[in-house]
Amino acid sequence: MAVIQTTGLSKRYKDKWAVDHLDLAVEQGDIYGFIGQNGAGKSTTLKLLCGLARPTQGEALIFGRPVCDLVSRRRVGALIEQPGLYPDLSGRENLRLYAALLGLDRPEQQVDGILEAVGLPGRENKPVKRYSMGMKQRLGVALALLGSPDLLLLDEPINGLDPEGIREMRELLLRLNRERGLTILVSSHILGELSKIATRYGIIQQGRMVEQITAEELEQKCADYLHLKTSQPQKAAALLEQAFRLTQWEMRPEGEIRIYQAVDAKAVGQTLAQAGIAVEELGLHRQDLEGYFLERMEGTKHV
C-alpha cells in the first residue's frame, strides 16, 4: 500500500522550480531515505506533503487522500527543519503544551509514553535551553509523535549532531519503525547513516526525481566488481564472455566494462593481452551509497 504517492508534484517560487514534477512513492512500513544536495528540493517536498506549502501543480496523496484532508493529516507527524521548542520550558512542558493545542485525550499518558519512546525519561523536567542538540532533536521527534501518527516526515534529523547523537537518532528511528510499525520518510545528506536504516531510497536533484530504488537493489548495484577500461570494449566483452563464461557484467560509457562475478583480474588481463587488446585500467572496485549517489548526480548534470 502506498502511504505517500505524488504525481507531477511541483512548487514554483517566482522563476525557480523548487520541486519539478516529482513522482514519489513510499510504501507502508518503509524507512524511505530521501537523498539530495542542499537546495535539491527535499525540504520543500516535505512541506508540500504536510500542508505547510501549496503545490503549484500536481497532486500528493497521503494514505490515498489529499494532503489537505483532515483524516490523512491526523495520521502524519512531522519535524521540518528545526523543532519549534520553547527554551525556558522543560521537555515535558513543551509536550504538554502541544498536546493541549492538538486537543488530545489523556495527554499526560501520551506524554509519558512518548518520553519513554524517545529516550528522555529523567531529563524531561530540565529546561530545553540546557538540552544538547541531540536531546532537542529527539524532543522534536517526540512532538511529531503526539497523536500517535502512522507516518513520520523528518527533515535532516541528524544534521549537526555528534556521533553519539547520530547513533541515538538512528536507533530511535529503527525502534519506532520496528515496534510501532511507523512508516518514516527521512531526508538527509549524510549518506552513510541513511544506508544503515533505509529500506528504500529516493534521489532528488534540482527538484526532480533521479531514481527510486530499494535497499536490496542498491546493494546489488553496489556489489564488488572488476573495473576494466579499454579502447575496444565490444571486442573485449565478447572475448571475456566466452573465456570466463560471464553472465553478470555490463557495458558502461567511455569503454568501461564492469564484471560482477568472481574472476581473476590477472587472468583477465593476460587473456586480453594475448588477443592484442590494450587494457587502460583494470582493478577491483567497491561502490558504496555515497559513490552511487555521486555517480547518479553526475549523470544528470547535463540532462
Side-chain angles (χ1 to χ4, degrees):
M1 172 186 175
V3 172
I4 301 174
Q5 184 77 52
T6 74
T7 306
L9 186 65
S10 305
K11 180 64 178 178
R12 182 170 183 166
Y13 294 104
K14 295 183 179 179
D15 60 345
K16 176 178 174 60
W17 290 96
V19 178
D20 190 358
H21 296 85
L22 187 73
D23 295 336
L24 179 151
V26 179
E27 299 296 319
Q28 188 168 7
D30 273 347
I31 299 180
Y32 187 102
F34 198 32
I35 301 171
Q37 299 163 326
N38 291 333
K42 302 189 302 296
S43 295
T44 302
T45 300
L46 293 181
K47 289 175 182 177
L48 291 168
L49 292 175
C50 64
L52 293 177
R54 294 175 61 88
T56 305
Q57 295 178 13
E59 180 182 45
L61 300 178
I62 306 292
F63 297 102
R65 295 170 177 263
V67 169
C68 60
D69 184 271
L70 290 177
V71 174
S72 67
R73 291 181 70 170
R74 289 194 187 102
R75 301 180 68 182
V76 179
L79 173 59
I80 308 297
E81 296 177 346
Q82 298 296 320
L85 302 172
Y86 292 90
D88 291 322
L89 299 181
S90 69
R92 179 179 290 278
E93 288 169 336
N94 269 274
L95 286 170
R96 282 175 175 167
L97 177 60
Y98 278 92
L101 292 173
L102 291 171
L104 300 181
D105 294 330
R106 297 180 295 174
E108 195 62 39
Q109 183 176 342
Q110 278 212 40
V111 167
D112 287 339
I114 290 172
L115 286 168
E116 180 71 33
V118 301
L120 286 177
R123 291 172 283 184
E124 72 273 21
N125 295 318
K126 182 163 57 173
V128 166
K129 62 186 176 184
R130 293 170 53 193
Y131 277 21
S132 67
M133 178 66 76
M135 291 171 64
K136 288 178 181 177
Q137 288 296 88
R138 277 186 283 158
L139 185 57
V141 175
L143 293 176
L145 290 173
L146 285 169
S148 302
D150 299 306
L151 168 66
L152 280 184
L153 305 176
L154 305 177
D155 185 21
E156 300 278 4
I158 59 177
N159 193 26
L161 299 186
D162 60 20
E164 179 66 17
I166 290 174
R167 182 187 64 80
E168 291 175 349
M169 181 61 68
R170 179 178 72 238
E171 292 176 352
L172 170 60
L173 298 184
L174 287 170
R175 189 166 64 250
L176 291 173
N177 176 257
R178 181 178 63 250
E179 297 177 1
R180 296 195 175 201
L182 285 178
T183 302
I184 302 172
L185 188 157
V186 52
S187 74
S188 182
H189 60 271
I190 304 178
L191 307 178
E193 284 303 313
L194 275 185
S195 68
K196 297 175 183 177
I197 63 173
T199 59
R200 189 186 303 268
Y201 300 91
I203 302 173
I204 184 175
Q205 182 174 4
Q206 297 178 349
R208 296 183 179 183
M209 183 65 74
V210 175
E211 182 179 25
Q212 294 187 94
I213 185 171
T214 67
E216 291 79 11
E217 291 169 338
L218 180 62
E219 185 176 354
Q220 292 176 3
K221 291 192 176 186
C222 291
D224 290 336
Y225 63 85
L226 186 67
H227 161 82
L228 167 65
K229 194 169 184 181
T230 173
S231 60
Q232 298 175 278
Q234 300 290 346
K235 184 178 179 181
L239 175 63
L240 295 176
E241 192 172 24
Q242 181 178 15
F244 296 93
R245 299 181 180 179
L246 297 184
T247 57
Q248 300 174 38
W249 65 278
E250 66 174 342
M251 188 78 68
R252 304 284 293 185
E254 299 180 359
E256 181 192 5
I257 298 172
R258 293 183 181 180
I259 302 172
Y260 294 98
Q261 64 196 71
V263 293
D264 183 87
K266 184 177 180 180
V268 167
Q270 290 175 342
T271 300
L272 294 175
Q274 290 170 1
I277 299 174
V279 175
E280 298 173 7
E281 297 175 12
L282 180 64
L284 189 64
H285 184 272
R286 176 161 180 83
Q287 185 177 47
D288 58 11
L289 173 58
E290 182 174 7
Y292 184 80
F293 167 73
L294 292 174
E295 183 178 277
R296 297 295 284 128
M297 292 299 96
E298 184 69 25
T300 60
K301 280 185 179 180
H302 307 293
V303 174

